[in-house]
Amino acid sequence: MNLKNTYSFDAIVIGSGISGGWAAKELTEKGLKTLLLDRGRDVKHVTDYPTTLLNPWELPHGGQVPLELKKEYKTGSKNYIFSEATSHFLTKDEEQAYIQDKPYDWIRAYQVGGRSLLWGRHTQRWSDFDFTGPARDGFAVDWPIRYKDLAPWYSYVEKFVGISGNKDGLETLPDGEFIKPYELSCVENHFGQIVHNKFPNRHVIIARTANLSQATKIHTSVGRSQCQNRNLCERGCPYGGYFSSNSATIPAAFQTGNLTLKSHSIVHSIIYDEKKNKASGVRVVNALTHEMEEYYASVIFVNASPLASNLILLNSTSNRFPNGLGNDSGLLGTHMAFHSYRGRITAEYDGFLDVKTSGKRPTSAYIPRFRNVYQQETDFLRGYASNLSANRVFENTKGLVGDSLKNALLNPKLGLWHINVGMMGETIPKETSTVQLDRNLKDKYGLPQLRVSIGYDENDEKMLQDFHQQFKEMYELAGFKNITPIDTKRLPGNENHEMGGVRMGKDPKTSLLNAFNQMHLCKNVFVTDGSCMTSTSTQNPSLTYMALTARAVDYAIKEKKNL
Ligand SMILES: Cc1cc2nc3c(=O)[nH]c(=O)nc-3n(C[C@H](O)[C@H](O)[C@H](O)COP(=O)(O)OP(=O)(O)OC[C@H]3O[C@@H](n4cnc5c(N)ncnc54)[C@H](O)[C@@H]3O)c2cc1C
Ligand code: SF4
């Protein structure tokens, strides 16, 4: 490869997804000339959302993806979000080969905005039941922070993002800075009341979601407007009704005049300056020309998403760090974890047939974790949160396309209420759950391939059984019929909440990052995507990545002269 082009900035951010977008916004707003690098193509807000305004009957294949195309997205097409309307936001397998020592579906969305374009937008805070989990239950290492350290930063990011939610006053799920909540359906309400009467620590609430149920000045100032409740967010939203890097943080960063965005730029490694004992920049493979470029800065934020960030750090070798940047402990790429989405349980309800839902709602109901919260009560560790939705099903639209689909939708035949609960289980980060480099096998850009060895264990199996038992009992109490427990057999990775490998902790011997996401052994590098997570808890993780990122930038700016 030829070495071409060198450029200098105050800060470099690797990856423009949810966490990288936040890093770019915060760094530029603090006055730093910042280079935001992304390996994918640029996706311009509004103009690059080709399917956003198509009606169901206008999709040529009724939403299905032709088999030929599906083959190119062998991994991505296993994700629930993959359809004719969204395939362009997922990544083809040939873009980045990897090795599965254990079966693993690495879902990638390589473009400017990353997975922020596709995400489900559920945004729940962690509580101290989550931050104290590893210390209480004796796994991983103790988190170096507690809820009080992150609480102001949750508030800070929530105001900008726009989180619709209800102040539920729950110890397990702290309230935030909410805009108007969406509503539970009558069956969700019914279920919630019955369950709460029998189990006072189980709560069915409306999920907190990053959709603008009300747009205020902080949102309109970057060009966003109120959500129209179309529930088509994963196509990109022309109203900016849901939070994405493309609609919110990147425009805010551009407004400062301090942002340079460079797409098609695959970060290969971080350059370590042996004389100054710190990182000096990044090596980048230009995805279009395959030439190597270098960019320099005094602060580097790593936000490529967990597996990709681990890959970059493991590939950042030098005389000082022959095993990867900051990796004296040998722990880089270990203690990976994820959320188990194996459990589902469906049912029908023949009550409330005089009621139907009107319009759409871009969220669902949510049941915060209730197992093993105050004391250990099962033979497995930790617990699960759950998504719940109850809707009346359309009985006359299946398999239809074009005009016949349009007519059926205009004259719907409604069936019974259909109830669906999905489990989001905490998995235990273990030293044996790893991602490592195979230096003999390269991908098409010449980067080493990642060897992934992450799987389920006995704890996960027991948790799955408990989920099915508990919900079967609750469904029966609520009078639901045709109860069907399902093991989705979803592989790790396909839940979209992969975490770990570069964990935070108090001690450089047992962790890679300190309490401010700063590398213990390379002070001007910060890692604030999911790879920093010491444990996973049960909440959807991205709100926590955002809060950690904003807090880390604040710290980096204050410490800048020492970096
Ligand atoms: C269908 C779906 C539903 C989801 N629902 C939720 C939800 O409800 N709530 C929730 O909290 N989370 C949800 N998630 C997960 C959420 O999207 C991720 O947690 C979040 O996007 C992670 O942010 P990130 O910045 O770490 O990574 P990403 O958003 O994945 O962005 C990473 C970026 O880095 C770039 N990149 C990768 N490698 C390199 C490299 N070598 N050089 C340069 N750039 C690179 C990529 O192109 C990408 O743009 C969902 C995800 C999906 C796909
Ligand atoms: S539900 Fe709201 S945010 Fe989602 S696509 Fe529709 S208008 Fe946009």
Side-chain angles (χ1 to χ4, degrees):
M1 283 181 191
N2 295 325
L3 188 65
K4 268 210 155 177
N5 303 332
T6 58
Y7 298 107
S8 287
F9 294 83
D10 297 328
I12 290 175
V13 178
I14 306 171
S16 64
I18 289 186
S19 63
W22 265 100
K25 168 182 163 342
E26 294 301 295
L27 288 161
T28 53
E29 286 181 351
K30 299 272 167 32
L32 270 61
K33 294 282 177 203
T34 301
L35 173 64
L36 177 59
L37 293 166
D38 202 283
R39 66 175 290 153
R41 68 189 168 101
D42 196 5
V43 173
K44 296 247 184 293
H45 182 48
V46 184
T47 49
D48 284 337
Y49 304 151
T51 57
T52 187
L53 291 174
L54 295 184
N55 287 304
W57 54 89
E58 291 169 323
L59 292 164
H61 306 92
Q64 298 294 312
V65 178
L67 279 178
E68 279 310 303
L69 191 62
K70 218 170 175 174
K71 275 190 208 146
E72 297 180 44
Y73 293 90
K74 198 163 162 257
T75 311
S77 64
K78 293 191 203 170
N79 194 267
Y80 78 91
I81 209 73
F82 186 81
S83 79
E84 190 175 25
T86 59
S87 59
H88 50 280
F89 286 153
L90 288 120
T91 299
K92 293 181 183 171
D93 283 43
E94 56 128 33
E95 265 302 292
Q96 189 183 35
Y98 67 102
I99 307 143
Q100 302 176 52
D101 282 343
K102 290 186 182 164
Y104 187 91
D105 284 335
W106 186 4
I107 306 299
R108 285 147 293 177
Y110 286 165
Q111 64 240 328
V112 169
R115 285 178 291 174
S116 77
L117 287 163
L118 289 172
W119 70 315
R121 310 164 308 282
H122 277 201
T123 30
Q124 338 291 338
R125 289 185 179 199
W126 278 35
S127 73
D128 268 339
F129 293 104
D130 309 301
F131 286 110
T132 58
R136 189 194 86 164
D137 289 342
F139 63 93
V141 288
D142 190 13
W143 276 86
I145 56 170
R146 291 291 182 262
Y147 176 67
K148 67 173 172 32
D149 300 307
L150 211 51
W153 295 100
Y154 275 133
S155 292
Y156 178 74
V157 298
E158 281 165 347
K159 284 180 199 153
F160 180 78
V161 169
I163 309 285
S164 137
N166 188 45
K167 290 204 186 272
D168 299 295
L170 305 179
E171 252 186 312
T172 47
L173 202 73
D175 290 332
E177 309 289 334
F178 296 143
I179 49 176
K180 198 172 76 180
Y182 291 93
E183 286 177 15
L184 296 175
S185 69
C186 56
V187 174
E188 291 160 355
N189 234 330
H190 159 76
F191 182 64
Q193 281 166 12
I194 301 261
V195 166
H196 190 59
N197 286 344
K198 173 90 193 272
F199 304 101
N201 77 332
R202 301 186 184 184
H203 307 273
V204 175
I205 61 171
I206 189 74
R208 294 141 189 201
T209 184
N211 284 77
L212 288 183
S213 54
Q214 288 164 315
T216 64
K217 190 152 176 261
I218 194 168
H219 311 119
T220 54
S221 66
V222 287
R224 300 179 64 198
S225 55
Q226 190 170 322
C227 171
Q228 309 295 307
N229 301 336
R230 308 171 331 135
N231 203 13
L232 297 175
C233 312
E234 64 275 9
R235 300 182 185 186
C237 177
Y239 310 100
Y242 77 103
F243 172 86
S244 66
S245 300
N246 313 61
S247 68
T249 44
I250 293 177
F254 270 124
Q255 281 178 358
T256 65
N258 290 327
L259 183 71
T260 303
L261 170 65
K262 204 166 177 304
S263 53
H264 299 296
S265 299
I266 304 173
V267 174
H268 166 282
S269 52
I270 294 173
I271 305 165
Y272 187 73
D273 185 327
E274 314 259 354
K275 289 199 188 97
K276 293 184 179 155
N277 294 326
K278 60 182 186 179
S280 57
V282 295
R283 296 181 195 92
V284 169
V285 179
N286 183 314
L288 302 176
T289 63
H290 289 221
E291 285 177 327
M292 190 76 102
E293 300 162 355
E294 288 187 358
Y295 297 90
Y296 298 98
S298 47
V299 183
I300 297 172
F301 269 72
V302 185
N303 298 91
S305 76
L307 268 61
S309 291
N310 273 279
L311 193 162
I312 293 166
L313 292 169
L314 286 162
N315 204 29
S316 302
T317 53
S318 56
N319 289 330
R320 168 66 187 86
F321 293 114
N323 300 319
L325 192 68
N327 190 22
D328 286 2
S329 63
L331 290 173
L332 180 60
T334 70
H335 295 90
M336 305 295 300
F338 56 99
H339 283 157
S340 169
Y341 271 61
R342 288 263 300 275
R344 255 186 78 195
I345 184 161
T346 62
E348 287 177 334
Y349 188 54
D350 54 13
F352 293 113
L353 290 181
D354 54 335
V355 185
K356 56 182 180 177
T357 47
S358 88
K360 302 223 171 179
R361 178 186 69 172
T363 186
S364 68
Y366 183 84
I367 307 171
R369 174 177 152 218
F370 52 81
R371 276 312 222 187
N372 301 327
V373 176
Y374 296 98
Q375 60 189 33
Q376 183 63 35
E377 56 193 0
T378 68
D379 63 347
F380 60 87
L381 289 180
R382 314 304 296 161
Y384 43 82
S386 314
N387 287 315
L388 158 70
S389 58
N391 298 298
R392 292 195 65 184
V393 286
F394 280 40
E395 284 188 330
N396 59 337
T397 56
K398 207 165 172 214
L400 300 182
V401 292
D403 280 349
S404 44
L405 176 61
K406 182 178 178 183
N407 290 332
L409 285 168
L410 290 172
N411 303 290
K413 184 164 175 284
L414 290 178
L416 299 177
W417 286 89
H418 184 85
I419 298 103
N420 184 13
V421 169
M423 154 184 160
M424 297 179 286
E426 176 164 359
T427 69
I428 305 294
K430 296 179 289 286
E431 191 158 3
T432 49
S433 293
T434 58
V435 292
Q436 295 298 327
L437 295 189
D438 189 321
R439 296 199 175 273
N440 298 318
L441 290 174
K442 300 274 165 76
D443 70 14
K444 73 177 206 184
Y445 298 104
L447 272 80
Q449 289 189 28
L450 207 54
R451 222 170 231 297
V452 185
S453 181
I454 302 169
Y456 290 105
D457 62 20
E458 207 189 322
N459 202 64
D460 305 323
E461 300 297 334
K462 287 181 179 165
M463 192 185 287
L464 173 64
Q465 279 180 21
D466 186 73
F467 166 82
H468 283 148
Q469 276 163 11
Q470 296 304 312
F471 273 91
K472 187 160 176 294
E473 186 183 342
M474 292 188 279
Y475 274 13
E476 282 168 355
L477 272 176
F480 296 166
K481 307 269 167 50
N482 291 334
I483 298 172
T484 313
I486 299 165
D487 177 353
T488 64
K489 300 202 184 335
R490 237 195 242 194
L491 289 183
N494 202 356
E495 81 297 336
N496 312 305
H497 297 169
E498 72 285 4
M499 289 175 238
V502 199
R503 69 182 178 189
M504 294 169 75
K506 295 169 185 160
D507 182 351
K509 291 199 188 77
T510 56
S511 62
L512 279 299
L513 307 173
N514 69 12
F516 292 95
N517 298 72
Q518 180 183 35
M519 283 206 118
H520 288 300
L521 303 180
C522 188
K523 298 284 185 206
N524 63 338
V525 173
F526 292 79
V527 184
T528 67
D529 62 17
S531 44
C532 74
M533 300 294 275
T534 310
S535 63
T536 70
S537 190
T538 55
Q539 287 86 320
N540 310 64
S542 308
L543 181 71
T544 300
Y545 306 162
M546 299 187 218
L548 286 170
T549 304
R551 181 170 174 269
V553 171
D554 180 68
Y555 176 81
I557 300 289
K558 287 179 183 146
E559 285 291 302
K560 194 158 179 296
K561 58 179 181 307
N562 302 321
L563 298 180

